[in-house]
Amino acid sequence: MNTIEMPLLNVEGIEKSFGRQPACRDVSLELWPGEVLGIVGESGSGKSTLLKILAGRLAADAGRIHYRSAGEGIVELLGASEAQRRRLMRREWGFVQQHARDGLRMGFSAGANIGEPMMALGQRDYGSLRNTAKDWLRAVEIPEERLDDAPRTFSGGMQQRLQIARNLVTHPRIVLMDEPTGGLDVSVQARLLDLLRRLVHEHNVAVILVTHDLGVARLLADRLMVMRRGQVVEAGLTDQLLDDPQHAYTQLLVSSVLGV
Amino acid sequence: MTDQDYNFAFLDEQTKRMLRRAILKAVAIPGYQVPFGSREMPLPYGWGTGGMQVTAAVIGADDVLKVIDQGADDTTNAVSIRRFFKRMTGVATTEKTREATLIQTRHRVPETPLQAGQILVYQVPIPEPLRWLEPREIETRIMHALSEYGVMHVKLYEDIARHGHISTAYDYPVLVNGRYLMRCSPIPKFDTPKLHMNPALQLFGAGREKRIYALPPHTDVKPLDFEDHPFEIEHWPEPCALCGATDSFLDEVILDDKGGRMFVCSDTDYCGERREAGHRGRMSPPETLEAAE
Amino acid sequence: MYVAVKGGEAAIENAHKLLAEDRRGDAALPELDVAQIREQLSLGVDRVMTEGSIYDRDLAALALKQARGDQVEAIFLLRAYRTTLPRLGIAAPLDTQAMQVSRRISATFKDLPGGQLLGPTFDYTHRLLDFALLAEQEPIAAKQAGALADSMPQVVDLLNAEGLIERELPDAEDDVVGDITREPLMFPADRAVRLQSLARADEGYLLALGYSTQRGYAKSHPFVGEIRSGTVPVELDIPELGFTVDIGEIDVTECQMINQFRGSRSEPPKFTRGYGLSFGYAERKAMAMALVDRALRAEELGEDITAPAQDQEFVLYHGDNVEASGFVQHLKLPHHVDFQAELALVRKMRAEIAAAGAAPEFEEAAQ
């Protein structure tokens, strides 16, 4: 139980350029425990670059990321050692990739994929690992019989659900998601979004969700941040922002999407 | 060009110094693979050049050298390596584990327990335990630095899910001193427990891959496993046919084309000692007949 | 009754004798002379020197005789010999500009200062077996080339003058150059270390990799800027004296490849380069090396790494034929103990399935 309500993540002034192309310009945000923050924008807006910087997969040119960790106090991630960063990521964060093949071991069984984060944290009882993996397959609505099958044999939606299970099994505090429903059929998307919404609230996970799809943002995000050409143009509660966009660009985005 | 006299143990002193520095570093960090500037030796890479360079670095005029391959002193490669050192150092050689001060081995640990003061040098083909899971050296070095060994347990989990057993039969992965994941070299599972808390110094040389690692005496060496699928060694359906041993690793010998087979100690010195002490197996020659040449 | 077979030592002795016999072949024929090999199989000698990493034609010829013509075996002999040689000093970089050229061609310019000099080359021969060679021949004297031009500037220098090609500038004085003969290869490897590895790498391997870059596995769009072969002096750096001493000369072949240009709207485009060097007249090796050198520069030049020839670890780890041959052939060594361990495990698993009654379909164990 948090006695002091402080943001889980406090990001300040992120700058990133590729050669002369700016991808992130003075981007700041806060993330609170258990909330879903959506980052929306067109391709080229810098939202994916920002996510990669938060995940430690890309170096920022400038800025600070303060993370309130479970066991190590407040850590400034950009200045931390790689060892510390990787340790925190392994223990307390998750990352759901757009393409399941990037976030799973496609040649290993579903059980091994879900079990790996637990094994990385020291779980050494095969029977328990297997049971926990079965529980999670149930939670993400994958038939238990598929426990020993490799995700290569799964449908796209099922692979994505497996990826989600793999990320949630260690009860992370933050999960980053990069277009988690991209490339899936509309009906499959709907089911996945439903599942995500339920699980995120059940496990009180804070999420940063990057998407170009305002419908996905509306369904999942508590708050939204709109990015354009590397800058944050508007931020606010999802419904407020989508129903009553203030910035001209946000208005354009919202109006160009039917039925949002 | 004339036939030259070679330096003691073939390598020049600079090279030996380089090797000793690498060995000292390895001993200081049990299980950690120390890169070293491996030299071409007169035997091919893959045939024990790493072990030979380690031996050449530590051997002294007073050493007594034993060389075994598959547990036997008389296999062709063991003979070849022993002749090389005899020619290059003039040291005494032996087939008896008890009498050796320095033992170079391929694929087996002697059955006779080693003593403090003995050195066992292993020939290693692939030093990196994560190699089959991650081909890139850059990545595996990071994994060792950050103790990111989860993927090795994933492999073991998968074995059990698929086969009901961990399916590594030799060159078993072990955790050394609670810190580094290490490969034992292709010794059978059977020999893995011998590495734990051994009073001897154990050195590992990989010439082609250019790595040296070490287990100082009395080091903690734990094979990877699961609590409910613990590490187990092999068992045979019968004892050694020549000496009756039930506690040694046995080679299978095919006797005829009708499936006739028997099992014999792989460690020829151990078997020989037992026979000298009077132990017998089902295929031992009868007392009254002399052994054929 | 089983008796353990002894006699590994005797078996080896005998194998050596058979080997010596086979090497000699038909004793009624004259024995090969090392000098003949040196003179008349000189391209074989050049390859053995290049990959054996010792410039000594007599040694390489001897190695070829001892190896019965097997080049990889001969290369191994030289490398093992090299281990016994002390390092006396380090030479200054060879000045190929000062080369006494016997062959020099360029595919990028029809005519160039110094001219195109064909030299002794197979290039324009018709590959028809010459049965006249079955008998000994009267020596043929080739027409001497006219006086060589006073200056043979490097083609790359000509392009340099216009700023058309990337410059290859020497490192700072105190930068340490890695030495793969003294230190293990570590990644990421810088260009100096990569070139060292490529110089002694197996020619066939580099040829295949270079070929692959021409066929779409990475794209480098190569042109032969210049190939020159000839004699260069070797200057040994003597720190105590503070100057270098000329200790002799060696024959080398140098290849400069001119590759895909790189640039953008704001940065003027320049051609990029690949470099190859070999001992003697190993031209194909120098060319293949230059192609692979360029491919390995992909990361530094900001190109996507999509092909095997661009993958540093893959290319450099597997190029040394002494290492490759050793490890591949080590499979001939006894492995019956490890095999026995596998047998025990497989038998155990099969027994368990049999005991469990019906045998469910098990997937093939993946490695």
Side-chain angles (χ1 to χ4, degrees), chain C residues 127-145:
Chain C
R127 268 63 167 194
L128 302 167
L129 279 175
D130 185 356
F131 293 97
L133 289 171
L134 287 172
E136 286 186 28
Q137 310 249 281
E138 284 301 316
I140 303 161
K143 195 165 76 159
Q144 283 304 321

Side-chain angles (χ1 to χ4, degrees), chain A residues 86 90 109 124-127, chain B residues 146 148 151 153 158 227-228:
Chain A
R86 277 167 86 131
R90 199 161 64 235
S109 68
R124 292 286 174 268
D125 188 300
Y126 175 80
Chain B
L146 303 178
E148 286 184 1
V151 69
H153 279 95
E158 199 76 333
E227 282 154 13
D228 50 345

Side-chain angles (χ1 to χ4, degrees), chain A residues 189-252:
Chain A
Q189 274 194 36
R191 186 180 172 192
L192 190 66
L193 288 171
D194 228 21
L195 182 72
L196 268 175
R197 193 172 49 173
R198 197 167 26 86
L199 287 174
V200 161
H201 283 119
E202 249 172 51
H203 295 273
N204 202 34
V205 188
V207 174
I208 299 182
L209 165 72
V210 158
T211 181
H212 67 278
D213 186 332
L214 293 183
V216 169
R218 165 88 80 179
L219 208 64
L220 285 183
D222 301 314
R223 279 193 306 129
L224 278 189
M225 216 169 85
V226 181
M227 282 186 75
R228 179 180 186 240
R229 295 208 193 135
Q231 289 182 305
V232 180
V233 300
E234 190 169 351
L237 295 176
T238 303
D239 287 340
Q240 276 179 14
L241 194 144
L242 291 178
D243 291 338
D244 188 19
Q246 298 298 303
H247 192 277
Y249 175 70
T250 317
Q251 290 166 355
L252 185 62

Side-chain angles (χ1 to χ4, degrees), chain C residues 4-25:
Chain C
V5 175
K6 288 199 145 254
E9 189 114 23
I12 291 181
E13 285 289 349
N14 234 24
H16 288 342
K17 288 198 187 115
L18 276 174
L19 185 62
E21 217 174 81
D22 274 8
R23 176 165 41 76
R24 183 60 182 84

Side-chain angles (χ1 to χ4, degrees), chain A residues 82-96:
Chain A
E82 181 159 3
Q84 188 180 31
R85 202 172 38 233
R86 277 167 86 131
R87 187 172 60 242
L88 285 171
M89 296 290 149
R90 199 161 64 235
R91 290 197 187 140
E92 303 184 17
W93 289 40
F95 195 133
V96 176

Side-chain angles (χ1 to χ4, degrees), chain A residues 24 29 31 34 62 64 71-72 119 132 151 160 163 206-207 240 257:
Chain A
C24 289
L29 63 88
L31 182 70
R64 276 185 307 283
E72 300 181 39
M119 288 185 254
T132 308
Q160 207 55 321
Q163 212 203 149
V207 174
Q240 276 179 14
V257 180

